[in-house]
Structure formats: C-alpha cells, structure tokens
Amino acid sequence: MIPPVHGGRGRDGRWRYALTGSEHGHVWGVCAEVEGLFREPGRATYELFDWVPDAAEVRGWVGCRVWLVPQDEALDPWLLEDAESLGPQRRTDALVLTGLDDYMGPPEGLRAPVRLHDGYRWLGTCREFTRVLPDEQAAPSLVLRGLSPGDRLRQALATGTRRALDLDQAWLEIRDDSGEPLADRLLRPKVRSWRPSSHGPDLIDLELDEELDRPVPGYARPLWDRWLAGPPETPGAWAGLDTREREAWLELVRDRGSLLKHQDRPAGQSYELDGRHITDEPSLYLALGEAFNGPGGYFGACVAALADCLRGDFGYTAPATLLWRDIAPAREHLSHVLTAEGEPYDLVALVALVLDVLAEGRVRVTFE
C-alpha cells in the first residue's frame, strides 16, 4: 500500500497516481492528475514504394502487429505495432504506413524489397521504402499536477542541486477509484521545474524531464476511463470491442494482473470458458483470463505467459478441468496464424497450441 503523504486529496478523497522510488519503495509524492500519460505516441512513418497489395486495399487501421519481412532471407523481419495506413498514394504508387517501431527496427541501411503480413494474412509487397522517425523533441514532458510531496522530495526541492533533482529510477503507480492497483510505468525522472498548484494549499505542479515510452493513445482513453472507475463486474465487457481496442483492454488486464496478489485456489477446481466472442488473438486470452479469474481477470497474454500462469501464483493449482463452451469461433478465426517470417505454424494452429499448453499444465479440457 502507498504510505500516507500529507496534503490535499484527489477525487473521492483518493490518490490516483503515486511517484515511488524503485529501489526502496519510498514515496516521492501522490496526486490526482498527470499530464502526459494520455497522448498520442510518436509514430514512425514508412513510405512503401511500388506497393503491390496481396488482398484488399490496405487503408485505416491495419493491425496490432504488422511484420515487415525482407526479401533477403538472411535478414530478420521487424515489427510495426498498432499500424495505420492512409492507403496507396496515387501520384507515387506508394503506401504510407505509420506505427510504433519495435526496439529493433529495420536492418541498418536496408532499402530492398519487403513483404508485409499482420500475423494472419499477407498484405502486400513493396520495391523499397523510406522511414521517418518521430521528432524526439516534440514529445511533452510529464507533469504531476496537485502533487502532495513527501519529505524526501521536499528536501530535494529545497536543496535545488542538479544531483538532488535527479530522482534516479522511479515508478508512476496508477490506481483506480477504489484505490486498487491498475497499472504502472517505469521512469528515470529528473525534476525540470515546480510551482504552487491551483489544486490546493501545500500542493505543487511538478514537471519532470521525462516522457512516457507507453503513453495512452486517444482510441484507448475511453477504455482507461472505464477501468479507472473500477474493474468490470460482469464477464465479456470487451466482446463488443474491435481488435485494436481489445488489445488495449488486454494490456490493462495484463498490467493489473501483474500488480495484484493472487491466492492460488485448491487443486481440483472446475472452470468454464465462454468461447462465443473469440475471433482474434487478444479475445482468446481475455476469455481465458475470465475463465480462470473472473471478470477482468488475467491468465496470460501470450502462449509463454499462459504457461507461466499455469505454474502458480495466478490463482490456479493443478490439476483442474476447463469446460470450453463453443470452440468453433476460435477454430475458425485462429487456425491460420503466421510466424514473424510469415510461415504457417508447423502443423499447430494457435488454438491447438494453447490446448497443448493447458494440457501440460494439467488442465483437462472438455468441449460443449
């Protein structure tokens, strides 16, 4: 729990954000509002020349993960996350694609042909491409408004030296309206400025020389607002979302699940999975999470994480049984999955792979 820090209170008398030291867990301060958490992340722009589509026109949101696969098989593919497209440009016959580069990006100097897929289907091929990175100077800093500073932060601000204002490594902890952990972000903050806050006496607005590497984009803000009010009370609250929104919902489920303490239930439990809405990869893990841990529950966000959850500390103790109701949608939509290189999974579709992992975790799965 966050230790008490004197000062004004946030909405409903609770703090929503806390800046804590990562090494000793001390609290730099708590506040009800953070500026810089909700904003559009910097996106790389790719112009793909002589674009030849494999299927329908690629326009609008393309996918959670789009792989760019070099024609040269000696080179590794790389990932563009949350990819969007304006469609082919008539004057240049090029496709303009934006997204979040993974930590690798394209091989240095590569301009050769690449082929694109979204994990399920091939999208098309280009002869060469150019890549423009986001302007690093354009990203705003992080501002904690109405911050009630702890004693250590007060001392650092009073000292005013550059060393004292370097807060080293810290966590921005985010809680919902009930005070339960929701998410966090790791920072290496330095104090840029501070001033008295209009939020109340003895409160400050603290500006940090730090930008978040995982800001919350506009399309995900309504989902965050729902979770900040508290976790869902009924299963399937995500069912009406599209794949992009389901991915954002799954990220919140994963973040919250990693922060909560789970008490493993006794062995021999029976679980039920509602498979009616499993039409993409995030919905598979959302349905699994709710089957094992109830509405908004987490039980893995990929195959490797699912295997980890089956080993304990996430509410499950082997052995157990799982009744999977209506597996047809999952088999229909997830049977054709591509590797990063664009190769089909060898003899094993994603659903079958998940069933194998569950069996290895001593979950006996039946179907209805």
Side-chain angles (χ1 to χ4, degrees):
M1 296 295 293
I2 298 173
V5 181
H6 299 293
R9 291 278 178 181
R11 188 172 67 178
D12 299 329
R14 298 183 183 274
W15 297 111
R16 176 161 284 175
Y17 306 98
L19 188 66
T20 62
S22 62
E23 185 175 353
H24 302 294
H26 60 274
V27 180
W28 291 109
V30 293
C31 65
E33 180 182 338
V34 169
E35 184 178 300
L37 174 62
F38 299 100
R39 65 171 179 82
E40 296 303 320
R43 302 172 66 87
T45 300
Y46 284 77
E47 191 168 7
L48 309 172
F49 298 104
D50 291 340
W51 172 255
V52 179
D54 276 29
E57 182 180 9
V58 179
R59 184 180 292 275
W61 186 72
V62 181
C64 299
R65 286 170 288 275
V66 169
W67 290 94
L68 291 88
V69 185
Q71 189 179 61
D72 184 349
E73 296 182 356
L75 299 176
D76 292 328
W78 73 96
L79 181 63
L80 195 64
E81 297 182 302
D82 194 32
E84 292 184 278
S85 170
L86 300 178
Q89 306 301 297
R90 295 180 179 178
R91 294 183 179 180
T92 61
D93 293 324
L95 180 75
V96 176
L97 199 65
T98 71
L100 308 177
D101 268 317
D102 71 350
Y103 69 95
M104 293 181 61
E108 186 174 357
L110 178 67
R111 293 293 182 270
V114 293
R115 194 177 181 193
L116 280 65
H117 73 80
D118 63 2
Y120 302 98
R121 60 186 179 128
W122 287 104
L123 301 173
T125 308
C126 70
R127 171 179 52 82
E128 62 176 336
F129 65 91
T130 61
R131 171 174 173 249
V132 179
L133 294 176
D135 182 3
E136 295 183 356
Q137 301 300 318
S141 57
L142 198 65
V143 182
L144 282 63
R145 299 202 177 277
L147 183 79
S148 176
D151 291 339
R152 294 186 63 164
L153 181 57
R154 291 184 186 277
Q155 293 172 6
L157 298 180
T159 302
T161 64
R162 180 173 298 180
R163 183 174 182 179
L165 296 179
D166 184 348
L167 305 187
D168 196 21
Q169 196 174 78
W171 288 98
L172 178 65
E173 300 182 5
I174 307 168
R175 293 174 177 259
D176 64 25
D177 286 348
S178 66
E180 291 297 317
L182 177 59
D184 56 24
R185 296 291 188 269
L186 183 62
L187 310 173
R188 291 187 177 275
K190 294 182 180 180
V191 175
R192 176 179 293 178
S193 65
W194 69 96
R195 64 190 65 85
S197 176
S198 61
H199 287 252
D202 299 323
L203 303 181
I204 63 173
D205 292 341
L206 184 74
E207 183 177 2
L208 302 176
D209 189 14
E210 170 78 14
E211 64 163 297
L212 290 178
D213 60 351
R214 292 168 57 202
V216 180
Y219 72 86
R221 180 65 188 267
L223 307 181
W224 271 73
D225 288 342
R226 290 170 66 179
W227 276 88
L228 285 167
E233 298 180 352
T234 57
W238 47 268
L241 304 177
D242 60 27
T243 298
R244 189 186 202 187
E245 294 167 329
R246 289 178 175 184
E247 188 76 18
W249 187 279
L250 179 60
E251 183 178 353
L252 278 165
V253 168
R254 181 183 60 222
D255 286 352
R256 178 174 177 270
S258 67
L259 297 173
L260 294 177
K261 292 183 178 180
H262 298 79
Q263 183 175 358
D264 289 340
R265 292 174 288 275
Q269 299 290 307
S270 297
Y271 303 94
E272 291 189 11
L273 185 151
D274 182 354
R276 291 175 299 165
H277 307 295
I278 300 178
T279 56
D280 48 28
E281 191 169 353
S283 61
L284 172 62
Y285 296 110
L286 290 171
L288 281 167
E290 293 192 332
F292 282 92
N293 285 314
Y298 172 75
F299 207 70
C302 64
V303 172
L306 172 62
D308 287 341
C309 291
L310 288 165
R311 297 186 182 102
D313 296 331
F314 284 91
Y316 167 79
T317 301
T321 60
L322 173 68
L323 174 60
W324 190 318
R325 298 185 183 277
D326 200 349
I327 196 173
R331 283 178 167 159
E332 176 185 353
H333 292 278
L334 299 177
S335 293
H336 304 288
V337 183
L338 304 177
T339 66
E341 293 76 15
E343 298 294 332
Y345 278 135
D346 293 338
L347 303 178
V348 182
L350 180 58
V351 175
L353 183 58
V354 165
L355 292 174
D356 286 345
V357 171
L358 290 171
E360 291 174 4
R362 299 172 64 193
V363 179
R364 185 172 68 87
V365 182
T366 59
F367 305 99
E368 182 180 284

